[in-house]
Amino acid sequence: MIHSLTLSDVLADHARSRPQVTAVVDGDVRLTYPELDARVTRLADALAGRGVAAGDRVMWLGQNSYAVLELLLACSRLGAVLCPANWRQSRDELRFVLSDLAPRVVVWEPSDQAAELADEATWVRAGGAYEELVAGGSPREFPQVDDAEPVLALYTAAFAGRPCAALLSSAALVAHSATLLVVRQMEPGFTFLNDGPLFHVGTMMFCLATLQIGGTNVFTPAFDAEEVCRLVDAERVTQAFLFGPMIDAVAAANAGGKYDLSSLRFVAHSAEWDDMITVDDSPWCRSKMGGYGQTEVGGMLTFLGLAEGGAGFAGRPSPLVQVRILDPEGVEVPAGEVGEICARGKTLFSGYFARPDLNEVKSRYGWHHTGDLGRREPDGTITFIGPRLRMIKSGAENVYPAEVERALKTHPAVADAAVIGVPDPSWHQAVKAVVVLRPDAAASAEDLVAHVRGELAAYKRPREVVFADAIPKQGFTPDYDALDAAYGGGNYPGA
Amino acid sequence: MIHSLTLSDVLADHARSRPQVTAVVDGDVRLTYPELDARVTRLADALAGRGVAAGDRVMWLGQNSYAVLELLLACSRLGAVLCPANWRQSRDELRFVLSDLAPRVVVWEPSDQAAELADEATWVRAGGAYEELVAGGSPREFPQVDDAEPVLALYTAAFAGRPCAALLSSAALVAHSATLLVVRQMEPGFTFLNDGPLFHVGTMMFCLATLQIGGTNVFTPAFDAEEVCRLVDAERVTQAFLFGPMIDAVAAANAGGKYDLSSLRFVAHSAEWDDMITVDDSPWCRSKMGGYGQTEVGGMLTFLGLAEGGAGFAGRPSPLVQVRILDPEGVEVPAGEVGEICARGKTLFSGYFARPDLNEVKSRYGWHHTGDLGRREPDGTITFIGPRLRMIKSGAENVYPAEVERALKTHPAVADAAVIGVPDPSWHQAVKAVVVLRPDAAASAEDLVAHVRGELAAYKRPREVVFADAIPKQGFTPDYDALDAAYGGGNYPGA
């Protein structure tokens, strides 16, 4: 256990190494690291008093709050798991999550959806009741916890119609924080404004990296452009959770220069924005932000900042993982070919809570299967193609609809496209494309097939193209079941 | 094993992600990552053919070479351990190390010391015979290796008169590299000149961090100021292993501006030097370089760059460790008090090879005991006091000679000082100081005792002060056995 470093351990060290540093700001709440450490100890003791033991789950059901970080750290101290649940969920979705995760304690901000699900015995109201809970705990020592144990549960991708809780260990979260420290070049003094939802890994990962480097986490319930401006100015914030339209909104809210946003070291965006902030030159900010990621890898798997000028628009793997592009039999595909993005390494999750069969499938051949398709470019960088929702088997060949759809969409006349497999007497399945043309644009089926042949191997070209007014969707992706029903799809491998 | 990331895995990923990047430069040898990966596979196969199995040791006995990195990576691929041995050792020292480590294969550059120890059956000459070894191996797959297994052995601190091999796992080395990537803000394209000895963690740690970020390692047999200039210019080196007098020598060798050293991003040193290079503003270079470290923690435990303006001159802990200042009973001492610097975390070693008793002592109470004394300052930063070679027990109190010696040396009249414990009927032991005054300086015993009382708790003050012409030394530290014999020391706790 001499190698173990839990989130609780990180906090315990900061309490000693950074006694004067502000760890947390949230409205009137301001806590130094020793104060946060002392509160987390009391909270852990109080949770233990409510029956929370190692391996048990605790749920936060509310908007962003310092309490999310305290609960996470207290769970780490106990070897328990915190789930910050999506407070925007419907009552039905929430009922599922509660029965799935079976939390021992729920700390909640009252809401219409949650009200009738609340159980007086195990639910604690955020605010006063939560503060009473903390105050009721006693300072004491806790046994050491193995950092390979899960500490955070985040609900993610729906498999079989319902979301699953991805379990992340302290070891994975600490490792992921280290990669952000590297790529974002975070230093002591880093101040992060948690204005995106903490039930999502995109905000949580920067909250935890800020903890790791001993910086300051500022919390605000949810994104509000004016409030972001006020907090950046007041707390000298280094970075907030912002992208595209959020940046525009913040720039607009500060149009008169009412607030001083110069402490913000962030990506260039518009002339107006760049004048307000300090354009940062770390790899994370220097070119385009981001890369490819998902909750199951702790956040980011690849970074654009590690592949400046690279061909692949997902960048290169983080320094603490390996990535392989594998075919369905677990064999690496050559550069230039599409396969599933698979990974191993320090930042990976510990499987989904209570999904042994799914976990076995997702980790087959000793690699985490992201469920997404990608390709190595000749320079070794990675391109993300799209989700591996379906695979078509035509002859002996595997054809991923997402790859063919991508090729179709590069044709100037194509507004949208979806690809299915239809039964074929000779080839088992044949590729069929459903295409929506742009208004006033024209292209024949032959034009589109020829276009795909110019982009992909011949066997991937559609044998048939039909035109439609729209593609049925599930969220952002085609609704393949509806497409199969409408256009004669079937004979899928394994079906 | 989905979380495992060995050095071999890091290489395997770079071979895919960075196919065009130069991994290694050494004289005429230039290898891209795929070329290095292919050679390492063949070398691993060839070593296996010579009987090297998981857990076995391989030794490099020579100056710096690309072969050190290749052997380390091949050992990682096999689950074996590489020891780059100190080629400057005497024949007697080398004989001990060989019998202690019992390497299955030794790759060596012929030397007078090693010549009569060489065993034709297991020793391979660097150069031609080594290249034949590599060429004789075959490409193949290797089973996955757990990154918690040791991969590097570095001989370090002599306990009981003989050095011990500190074993470092891939997990520890990868974690340590991540901390250097953070503090040194290393980016892709980083080029490190290995001009310090690779048998020492100070050079090895930057070699491995450069590997981790997919940079270029340039090797030169040993430090030569002119050759450093030439290589920095020719290879656009970002950083070399340089400090104080080495920097002066390089600046002097380039006095006429013969070489372009502007690619070097390094610490400011002198007006002349700063003009030749690019002064770097990463935390590692911005203030004073370094911190506190030892081989047993993978290199650096604390960094000055994480504590700019801090009171303690060892800085703050690395982001991947915890540090505690403990008393001999394993209890944390309050800030301001001296105790032993102890640590846990991701970068820590896996114990000494074949030293179970010592390992138990060094990891007592679940913390790695560095053997060094330190103190928390009020701002949480750490001051390194000196090695914990002896402890005096006076009454119920622990007195560390290094702490009293440090206090004595802050008196302007004191040139050197050593402190021993002498038997005392009332207090078990009493503190006795042996002091060397500066030429032409004067101070009485009473002056010095009063001075120490102003610096430390009363019980730590010497009961007796004697003056001497010199302090007997073992290396840089007082020879306490000789001092005890000469000045009546004894009754040490545990003796």
Side-chain angles (χ1 to χ4, degrees):
Chain A
M1 295 282 273
I2 222 158
H3 297 106
S4 184
L5 185 74
T6 62
L7 297 180
S8 161
D9 293 333
V10 169
L11 173 62
D13 197 86
H14 288 331
R16 290 158 172 85
S17 297
R18 297 176 167 81
Q20 291 120 354
V21 174
T22 301
V24 160
V25 176
D26 186 353
D28 293 337
V29 175
R30 297 190 81 86
L31 301 172
T32 64
Y33 274 105
E35 288 165 348
L36 179 63
D37 187 53
R39 283 178 56 91
V40 163
T41 290
R42 286 205 302 276
L43 175 56
D45 182 61
L47 289 172
R50 288 201 163 227
V52 177
D56 284 346
R57 281 78 55 208
V58 172
M59 185 177 283
W60 167 260
L61 189 54
Q63 292 187 278
N64 288 351
S65 164
Y66 68 103
V68 180
L69 186 57
E70 288 188 340
L71 284 163
L72 178 63
L73 291 164
C75 283
S76 175
R77 204 147 278 185
L78 289 172
V81 176
L82 178 73
C83 176
N86 184 343
W87 54 274
R88 289 162 154 165
Q89 290 177 102
S90 70
R91 190 171 308 167
D92 177 59
E93 289 171 310
L94 196 53
R95 184 179 287 117
F96 169 76
V97 161
L98 284 164
S99 79
D100 184 51
L101 199 69
R104 183 77 68 170
V105 170
V106 176
V107 183
W108 70 304
E109 290 173 345
S111 69
D112 287 347
Q113 304 99 295
E116 78 173 33
L117 301 169
D119 167 3
E120 285 302 317
T122 56
W123 289 44
V124 177
R125 285 200 186 216
Y130 172 75
E131 285 299 327
E132 278 172 35
L133 183 72
V134 174
S138 300
R140 64 167 169 109
E141 295 286 317
F142 294 88
Q144 208 189 345
V145 170
D146 185 342
D147 65 2
E149 292 298 322
V151 65
L152 177 66
L154 294 176
Y155 273 87
T156 181
F159 297 96
R162 288 295 197 183
C164 300
L167 297 174
L168 290 151
S169 68
S170 275
L173 294 169
V174 163
H176 190 276
S177 290
T179 68
L180 282 189
L181 298 186
V182 170
V183 179
R184 178 59 184 79
Q185 296 185 341
M186 294 166 72
E187 297 183 19
F190 198 91
T191 299
F192 180 64
L193 174 55
N194 291 265
D195 62 305
L198 279 163
F199 58 77
H200 189 279
V201 77
T203 301
M204 182 57 89
M205 71 184 187
F206 271 107
C207 175
L208 293 178
T210 301
L211 171 71
Q212 195 73 28
I213 199 67
T216 304
N217 270 297
V218 181
F219 296 90
T220 187
F223 177 73
D224 174 279
E226 170 98 17
E227 182 65 359
V228 166
C229 293
R230 193 188 68 74
L231 285 168
V232 168
D233 187 342
E235 303 296 340
R236 311 304 300 143
V237 165
T238 319
Q239 185 174 309
F241 181 79
L242 296 173
F243 57 89
M246 296 168 86
I247 297 178
D248 291 329
V250 172
N254 198 39
K258 181 172 166 193
Y259 299 101
D260 175 5
L261 308 188
S262 64
S263 62
L264 212 52
R265 296 183 63 93
F266 211 52
V267 73
H269 179 75
S270 62
E272 188 191 10
W273 172 253
D274 298 358
D275 276 352
M276 290 179 187
I277 66 150
T278 304
V279 175
D280 190 70
D281 66 349
S282 72
W284 177 258
C285 293
R286 203 155 50 206
S287 48
K288 273 178 74 175
M289 280 199 313
Y292 165 81
Q294 60 175 202
T295 307
E296 292 86 340
V297 300
M300 306 302 298
L301 184 70
T302 67
F303 287 99
L304 279 164
L306 299 178
E308 276 184 277
F313 64 82
R316 286 203 173 87
S318 116
L320 295 179
V321 301
Q322 290 187 86
V323 173
R324 292 282 190 287
I325 311 295
L326 301 183
D327 76 9
E329 284 73 46
V331 177
E332 188 170 15
V333 304
E337 295 283 310
V338 169
E340 185 164 351
I341 301 174
C342 296
R344 270 185 196 154
K346 309 313 288 177
T347 73
L348 268 76
F349 80 143
S350 308
Y352 302 102
F353 178 73
R355 301 285 191 286
D357 295 345
L358 177 61
N359 290 337
E360 206 167 298
V361 171
K362 293 286 281 185
S363 61
R364 61 194 183 276
Y365 311 119
W367 290 88
H368 166 61
H369 285 60
T370 62
D372 287 320
L373 299 173
R375 181 177 65 212
R376 287 273 183 194
E377 305 299 342
D379 64 359
T381 55
I382 292 167
T383 294
F384 164 66
I385 301 289
R388 191 190 63 81
L389 298 167
R390 283 283 164 97
M391 193 179 73
I392 298 167
K393 199 95 186 175
S394 185
E397 302 290 358
N398 303 321
V399 180
Y400 299 107
E403 187 181 11
V404 184
E405 289 159 7
R406 214 173 126 80
L408 282 163
K409 287 182 204 166
T410 63
H411 189 287
V414 173
D416 201 358
V419 165
I420 59 172
V422 294
D424 184 275
S426 321
W427 303 102
H428 188 71
Q429 283 189 297
V431 175
K432 180 171 181 173
V434 183
V435 171
V436 180
L437 292 178
R438 291 187 190 280
D440 310 319
S444 67
E446 292 69 34
D447 291 343
L448 296 178
V449 171
H451 176 74
V452 172
R453 280 212 60 167
E455 301 263 317
L456 301 175
Y459 66 86
K460 296 178 184 171
R461 75 179 185 283
R463 300 277 167 168
E464 192 183 350
V465 177
V466 296
F467 295 95
D469 293 334
I471 305 286
K473 296 280 168 100
Q474 276 199 319
F476 294 105
T477 56
D479 181 343
Y480 288 109
D481 290 338
L483 285 159
D484 285 342
Y487 299 98
N491 256 15
Y492 289 96
Chain B
M1 294 282 270
I2 222 157
H3 297 106
S4 183
L5 185 74
T6 64
L7 297 181
S8 161
D9 293 333
V10 170
L11 172 63
D13 197 86
H14 288 332
R16 290 160 172 83
S17 298
R18 296 176 167 80
Q20 290 120 355
V21 174
T22 301
V24 160
V25 176
D26 186 353
D28 294 336
V29 175
R30 298 189 81 85
L31 302 171
T32 63
Y33 274 105
E35 288 165 348
L36 179 62
D37 186 53
R39 282 177 57 90
V40 164
T41 291
R42 287 204 301 276
L43 176 56
D45 182 63
L47 289 172
R50 289 200 163 226
V52 177
D56 283 347
R57 281 79 54 207
V58 172
M59 186 177 281
W60 167 261
L61 190 53
Q63 293 186 278
N64 288 351
S65 164
Y66 67 104
V68 180
L69 185 57
E70 288 188 341
L71 284 163
L72 179 61
L73 291 165
C75 284
S76 175
R77 204 147 279 187
L78 290 172
V81 176
L82 178 74
C83 174
N86 185 342
W87 55 274
R88 289 159 154 168
Q89 290 178 102
S90 72
R91 190 171 307 166
D92 178 57
E93 290 171 311
L94 196 53
R95 185 179 286 119
F96 167 77
V97 160
L98 284 164
S99 79
D100 184 51
L101 199 70
R104 183 77 67 170
V105 170
V106 177
V107 183
W108 70 304
E109 290 174 344
S111 69
D112 286 348
Q113 305 100 294
E116 77 173 34
L117 300 169
D119 168 3
E120 286 301 317
T122 57
W123 289 43
V124 177
R125 284 199 185 216
Y130 171 76
E131 286 298 327
E132 280 172 33
L133 184 71
V134 174
S138 300
R140 65 167 167 107
E141 295 286 318
F142 295 88
Q144 208 189 344
V145 170
D146 185 342
D147 65 2
E149 292 298 321
V151 65
L152 177 67
L154 294 177
Y155 273 88
T156 181
F159 298 95
R162 288 295 197 182
C164 301
L167 297 174
L168 289 151
S169 68
S170 275
L173 294 170
V174 163
H176 191 276
S177 290
T179 68
L180 282 189
L181 297 186
V182 171
V183 180
R184 178 58 185 80
Q185 296 185 339
M186 293 166 72
E187 297 182 20
F190 197 90
T191 299
F192 181 63
L193 175 56
N194 291 266
D195 62 306
L198 280 164
F199 57 78
H200 188 280
V201 77
T203 301
M204 182 58 89
M205 70 183 188
F206 271 108
C207 176
L208 293 179
T210 302
L211 171 71
Q212 195 73 29
I213 198 67
T216 304
N217 270 296
V218 181
F219 296 90
T220 187
F223 178 72
D224 174 277
E226 171 98 17
E227 182 66 0
V228 165
C229 294
R230 193 188 68 75
L231 286 167
V232 168
D233 187 341
E235 304 297 339
R236 311 305 300 144
V237 165
T238 320
Q239 185 175 309
F241 181 80
L242 296 173
F243 57 89
M246 295 168 88
I247 296 179
D248 291 329
V250 172
N254 197 39
K258 182 173 166 192
Y259 299 101
D260 176 5
L261 307 188
S262 63
S263 63
L264 212 53
R265 295 184 64 94
F266 212 50
V267 74
H269 179 75
S270 62
E272 188 190 11
W273 171 254
D274 299 357
D275 277 350
M276 290 178 187
I277 66 150
T278 304
V279 174
D280 189 70
D281 66 350
S282 72
W284 176 257
C285 293
R286 202 156 49 205
S287 49
K288 274 179 75 175
M289 280 200 311
Y292 165 80
Q294 61 176 203
T295 306
E296 290 87 341
V297 300
M300 306 302 297
L301 185 69
T302 66
F303 287 99
L304 279 165
L306 298 179
E308 275 184 278
F313 63 82
R316 285 202 173 90
S318 115
L320 295 180
V321 300
Q322 289 188 85
V323 172
R324 291 282 189 287
I325 311 295
L326 301 184
D327 76 9
E329 284 73 46
V331 178
E332 187 170 15
V333 304
E337 293 285 309
V338 170
E340 186 163 352
I341 301 174
C342 295
R344 270 184 196 155
K346 308 312 290 179
T347 73
L348 267 76
F349 80 144
S350 309
Y352 302 103
F353 178 73
R355 301 285 192 284
D357 296 345
L358 178 60
N359 289 338
E360 207 166 298
V361 171
K362 294 287 281 185
S363 61
R364 62 194 182 276
Y365 311 117
W367 289 87
H368 166 61
H369 285 61
T370 62
D372 287 320
L373 299 173
R375 182 177 64 213
R376 286 273 183 193
E377 304 299 343
D379 63 359
T381 55
I382 292 167
T383 294
F384 165 66
I385 302 289
R388 190 189 64 81
L389 298 167
R390 282 283 165 97
M391 193 180 74
I392 297 167
K393 199 96 187 175
S394 185
E397 302 289 359
N398 303 321
V399 180
Y400 299 107
E403 187 181 11
V404 184
E405 289 159 7
R406 213 174 126 80
L408 281 164
K409 287 181 203 167
T410 62
H411 190 286
V414 173
D416 201 358
V419 165
I420 60 172
V422 294
D424 183 276
S426 320
W427 303 102
H428 189 72
Q429 283 190 297
V431 176
K432 180 171 182 174
V434 183
V435 171
V436 181
L437 293 177
R438 292 187 190 281
D440 310 322
S444 68
E446 291 70 30
D447 292 343
L448 296 178
V449 171
H451 176 74
V452 172
R453 279 212 60 169
E455 302 262 317
L456 301 176
Y459 67 85
K460 296 177 184 172
R461 74 180 186 283
R463 302 276 166 168
E464 192 183 348
V465 177
V466 297
F467 295 94
D469 293 335
I471 305 287
K473 294 281 168 102
Q474 276 199 319
F476 295 104
T477 56
D479 182 343
Y480 288 107
D481 289 337
L483 285 160
D484 286 342
Y487 298 100
N491 257 15
Y492 290 96

